[in-house]
Amino acid sequence: MASIAGTSSKTEHYQALVDMGSNGIRFSISDLSPPTTRILPTIYQNRLGVSLYDAQYSTGVKGPIPRDIVQEVVAGLLGFKGTCEDFGVPHDRVRVVATEATREAINSADFIRQIKEVTGWPVEMLAKEEEGRIGAMGVASSFSSLKGLVMDLGGGSVQLTWVLTDNGEVQTSPMGAVSLPYGAAALTRRLNEIRVNGRGTESDFRSEMVTNFRNALHRLEIPSSLNEAASEAGGFTLYLSGGGFRGWGYILMSSGAIQPYPIPTINGFSAPKAAFTATEHIQSLDNSSTFRISSRRASQVPAVSFLVTALATALPSIRHIYFAQGGLREGLLFSSLPSHIRGQHPLVTATSPYAPRSSTALLALLQSGIPFSADSPQLYVMADSAFLTSLIHLLHYHAPLPKDTRAPTALRSTTTGVLASTHGLLHASRATLALALCERWGGELPPSDVDFLARMQEIVGVEQSWWAKYVGSLAAIIGEVHPAGVIREGEERVKFRCRWGSSDKGKDILQVDVGLRERVGIAGVRPGWADELEKVGKKKNWVGGREGCGWKVDVRIRPIEDM
């Protein structure tokens, strides 16, 4: 089904791509215009549900791509050509890229010749190693930073490599990636031969896969820095892409502890190794109605399970797994960008079009209300400048809405709202920002959203959820005092000073001094928002209730001249 995200940017920045994969033909048009180039905005995408891999085995043995399939693909390409003309995509900004199923087809040359004759578009054929390298770039585009092993599971093959990113520079194995013939469709066919036709045993096949995976790791020459980081962290981080792995991820999302899971996109979803490798449990589930699992994908679950079992034996210690949406399309686009664009944080890039005029000064003001100190609790939300910057960028985004819809709309802004399509975010980042934005608008929710809030809190945990609530309350003060998002030099209206203190019982207290100019508050009258900030620290308002997590907040109002 087609989808359109918008067509407002100048067409010279449009890039059209056709990804002729093993399991389907994907059409897309991306808008690479500044300032949102880094997140690869998609303004059109569609998919032709043709499996070039399965088509070659329609008779039980490998044959050429059938004529009717060739005609269907060519017709789909012609339709997309018309779409490109409708959007105004320049003729020289259309690429048609083919991977293994086309590369290995008996009639590959004739297939791509027919495409060129009818559409006028040449077909770029990616070599095995290049396909793996581009796939790794797609995974790199899916996160703000990446350090670990990367696997891309297609229909005919699976690619394995390692990736390190640093300020937009992407380092991977000199050989690109190792490609092995264990794609989801290929495994399904091979296992069927074993189970139905008795061609070999599953045990022998699994041993073959384990040996080949281990040999692949050796050939990839994992750098010592990555091995040392994995040793210190207790194992490698594994990043997974490709339809087969994404299907596995959706099953984990739908069967995990947080139900129903509040974030629909797979990119940035994480799972511990124990859950990822629980193959017997996953196969026992009824996946016929699982979100984003087609009947075809459900039929491949046993094959992916077999692959996961082999990986669990073959790979070195794996600590955590992240799922990525980025694949060939994203990899081709991301690899074309200069490093200073690739190095931008996706969250900051996505929110930058909405930044207030004085965003730098507003950010500094927000940071002054947070207790940065060496002996303070270890808090991700306080140290993440991208999170704080994006919160300031969206400080007034929901202001035009009716008051009773601001908090619930802000809560869902990262899942089905303004940031829903943002590429490159972790689920923890989406949840944390949503919680802070909700509190920025008072945090009052209708009953229909209360459970959604609780599930977003479960994603990040009670401690980080409380700090998101506190930072959101600070943002509410800043938004009220500076409703236009402007701070004129020398005319600051409010200042914060924050530090840790101790109660008579020796418990930590967050002491917040707030300096005000006279015109901001009436002399001797305590602003209502000061009480609201203190309420965040009352035990009954802690995340998880009185037995949950939080700190007492003591707010003191002073003349700004005394700060």
Side-chain angles (χ1 to χ4, degrees), residues 1 31 38 100 144 151 161 237 332 351 369 454 485 510 526 563:
M1 182 176 181
D31 178 7
R38 163 62 180 86
E100 183 180 27
S144 59
M151 296 190 72
T161 190
T237 299
L332 289 166
T351 56
L510 206 55
R526 183 179 172 88
M563 294 288 285

Side-chain angles (χ1 to χ4, degrees), residues 288-299:
S288 60
S289 59
T290 301
F291 177 66
R292 297 293 294 157
I293 300 294
S294 64
S295 58
R296 172 180 169 79
R297 193 64 68 197
S299 70

Side-chain angles (χ1 to χ4, degrees), residues 308-328:
V308 169
T309 302
L311 289 175
T313 304
L315 296 186
S317 177
I318 300 298
R319 184 175 64 93
H320 218 76
I321 294 93
Y322 285 92
F323 293 86
Q325 184 65 43
L328 188 69

Side-chain angles (χ1 to χ4, degrees), residues 64-395:
I65 300 173
R67 183 177 179 180
D68 63 319
I69 297 296
V70 172
Q71 292 174 338
E72 186 175 357
V73 171
V74 170
L77 286 164
L78 277 176
F80 182 57
K81 186 171 186 178
T83 299
C84 290
E85 293 171 354
D86 292 344
F87 275 90
V89 179
H91 296 298
D92 62 348
R93 293 187 64 80
V94 180
R95 295 180 67 181
V96 182
V97 180
T99 56
E100 183 180 27
T102 301
R103 185 177 61 240
E104 301 297 328
I106 295 172
N107 56 339
S108 176
D110 183 61
F111 181 38
I112 60 177
R113 178 189 59 78
Q114 291 187 58
I115 292 174
K116 178 66 163 57
E117 286 181 355
V118 176
T119 67
W121 290 338
V123 177
E124 302 176 41
M125 197 80 72
L126 293 183
K128 282 185 180 181
E129 293 72 17
E130 181 68 1
E131 183 179 341
R133 187 189 72 81
I134 294 297
M137 291 294 286
V139 175
S141 77
S142 304
F143 303 92
S144 59
S145 63
L146 189 150
K147 180 187 295 184
L149 303 178
V150 172
M151 296 190 72
D152 186 354
L153 178 61
S157 62
V158 61
Q159 277 78 35
L160 173 64
T161 190
W162 54 264
V163 176
L164 294 169
T165 62
D166 182 26
N167 293 322
E169 297 294 338
V170 181
Q171 182 184 359
T172 187
S173 172
M175 67 179 301
V178 175
S179 179
L180 297 170
Y182 304 136
L187 276 178
T188 299
R189 183 178 60 84
R190 181 76 179 270
L191 289 173
N192 186 65
E193 290 178 347
I194 293 173
R195 294 166 179 171
V196 177
N197 301 323
R199 297 179 182 176
T201 66
E202 290 187 19
S203 177
D204 289 343
F205 184 37
R206 185 179 293 108
S207 296
E208 171 200 312
M209 293 174 66
V210 169
T211 298
N212 287 338
F213 278 126
R214 286 175 174 168
N215 290 340
L217 282 172
H218 179 72
R219 292 167 58 194
L220 288 172
E221 301 177 359
I222 298 174
S224 58
S225 61
L226 186 54
N227 280 315
E228 291 168 3
S231 178
E232 293 176 1
F236 285 90
T237 299
L238 179 62
Y239 299 88
L240 302 175
S241 183
F245 279 142
R246 285 194 289 270
W248 196 258
Y250 276 116
I251 294 173
L252 291 175
M253 282 174 58
S254 68
S255 60
I258 304 174
Q259 291 302 314
Y261 196 81
I263 300 176
T265 181
I266 191 66
N267 194 86
F269 173 68
S270 62
K273 181 181 178 181
F276 175 71
T277 57
T279 55
E280 290 186 7
H281 169 68
I282 291 176
Q283 287 197 81
S284 70
L285 300 173
D286 179 8
N287 297 309
S288 60
S289 59
T290 301
F291 177 66
R292 297 293 294 157
I293 300 294
S294 64
S295 58
R296 172 180 169 79
R297 193 64 68 197
S299 70
Q300 294 177 344
V301 166
V304 178
S305 175
F306 194 84
L307 173 65
V308 169
T309 302
L311 289 175
T313 304
L315 296 186
S317 177
I318 300 298
R319 184 175 64 93
H320 218 76
I321 294 93
Y322 285 92
F323 293 86
Q325 184 65 43
L328 188 69
R329 181 189 79 89
E330 291 80 7
L332 289 166
L333 295 173
F334 196 62
S335 60
S336 71
L337 304 180
S339 59
H340 73 275
I341 297 294
R342 294 199 300 255
Q344 295 174 354
H345 195 290
L347 197 54
V348 175
T349 299
T351 56
S352 61
Y354 316 106
R357 194 194 320 171
S358 300
S359 58
T360 301
L362 292 168
L363 175 61
L365 178 59
L366 178 64
Q367 290 173 323
S368 68
I370 301 173
F372 293 97
S373 65
D375 57 351
S376 65
Q378 297 298 309
L379 300 163
Y380 161 82
V381 71
M382 289 165 39
D384 190 341
S385 61
F387 159 72
L388 297 176
T389 301
S390 62
L391 178 59
I392 288 297
H393 283 174
L394 295 177
L395 188 65

